[in-house]
Amino acid sequence: MNTITTTIFFITVIARFISVAISGSNERKLKKMGAVEYGKKNSTLLVLAHTLYYVAAATEGSLRGAFFDDTVSYLGLGIFVAAIGMLYYVIYSIRHVWTVKLIIAPPGYHAINKSVLFRLVKHPNYYLNIIPELIGLAIFFHAWITLIAGLMIYLIPLVNRIKEEERVMKSTFTEY
């Protein structure tokens, strides 16, 4: 892996870990205010699936002897970086209520984002961040088995999360 590719990749991975720290900070603040968490078991499954996907992609890439200085890896890295960029846009857009868990803040603190992005894409964090992030990571590592099998497995708790989030948001917010 050349130095520039390695640097970009690790900076992006670090940015992902920082997002987890932001989530933890927001979660603690929200829970002190009386926020309610939904789907705890599914959130645990999502975190586990996300972690295992990263490990599987890196392991498969290492075993394959993937080249990180080719067009395929650059494409994967581009998708991955764009996905993390979208993650930070989503975090910026919903700020204090963004977490990796399904947590609803008390009324008056949890507002529905009605920006163009959130109107056009119902769940931008899932469709414009998480799914592209995982696809980009697998492509970067040339991890084709992880891309197909891992993504299919990951989609099970992700679809459950989206359904649960829809149910909770509709029952909590009349304007949703």
Side-chain angles (χ1 to χ4, degrees), residues 25-35 94-98 103-112 173 175:
S25 174
N26 287 348
E27 177 184 347
R28 286 186 295 280
K29 290 174 189 171
L30 289 167
K31 286 188 173 179
K32 280 184 183 176
M33 298 172 64
I94 59 177
R95 292 176 179 82
H96 54 276
V97 296
W98 183 85
I103 298 175
I104 303 297
Y109 192 74
H110 198 134
I112 301 300
F173 302 100
E175 71 272 21

Side-chain angles (χ1 to χ4, degrees), residues 8-9 12 76-86:
I8 292 169
F9 177 73
T12 310
L77 183 59
I79 294 168
F80 185 68
V81 169
I84 300 303
M86 183 53 66

Side-chain angles (χ1 to χ4, degrees), residues 9-158:
F9 177 73
F10 282 111
I11 287 172
T12 310
V13 169
I14 290 167
R16 188 60 165 115
F17 284 123
I18 291 170
S19 75
V20 172
I22 292 168
S23 172
S25 174
N26 287 348
E27 177 184 347
R28 286 186 295 280
K29 290 174 189 171
L30 289 167
K31 286 188 173 179
K32 280 184 183 176
M33 298 172 64
V36 178
E37 181 178 351
Y38 298 89
K40 290 180 186 182
K41 181 180 174 185
N42 196 60
S43 290
T44 301
L45 289 174
L46 276 169
V47 169
L48 179 63
H50 210 91
T51 303
L52 290 175
Y53 190 97
Y54 266 65
V55 170
T59 301
E60 184 181 346
S62 296
L63 293 173
R64 284 186 184 278
F67 300 102
F68 299 107
D69 213 9
D70 65 349
T71 305
V72 171
S73 288
Y74 291 147
L75 172 65
L77 183 59
I79 294 168
F80 185 68
V81 169
I84 300 303
M86 183 53 66
L87 167 65
Y88 275 86
Y89 181 76
V90 169
I91 292 170
Y92 171 78
S93 295
I94 59 177
R95 292 176 179 82
H96 54 276
V97 296
W98 183 85
T99 67
V100 296
K101 297 179 179 177
L102 179 50
I103 298 175
I104 303 297
Y109 192 74
H110 198 134
I112 301 300
N113 189 311
K114 295 180 182 179
S115 70
V116 173
L117 177 65
F118 283 80
R119 283 193 318 255
L120 293 175
V121 181
K122 191 84 166 187
H123 298 280
N125 192 55
Y126 306 133
Y127 297 120
L128 301 178
N129 161 242
I130 291 176
I131 293 172
E133 172 188 342
L134 298 177
I135 291 169
L137 185 73
I139 292 171
F140 176 74
F141 281 110
H142 296 230
W144 311 120
I145 295 169
T146 302
L147 176 61
I148 294 170
L151 195 56
M152 292 313 215
I153 293 167
Y154 190 93
L155 286 174
I156 295 168
L158 184 61

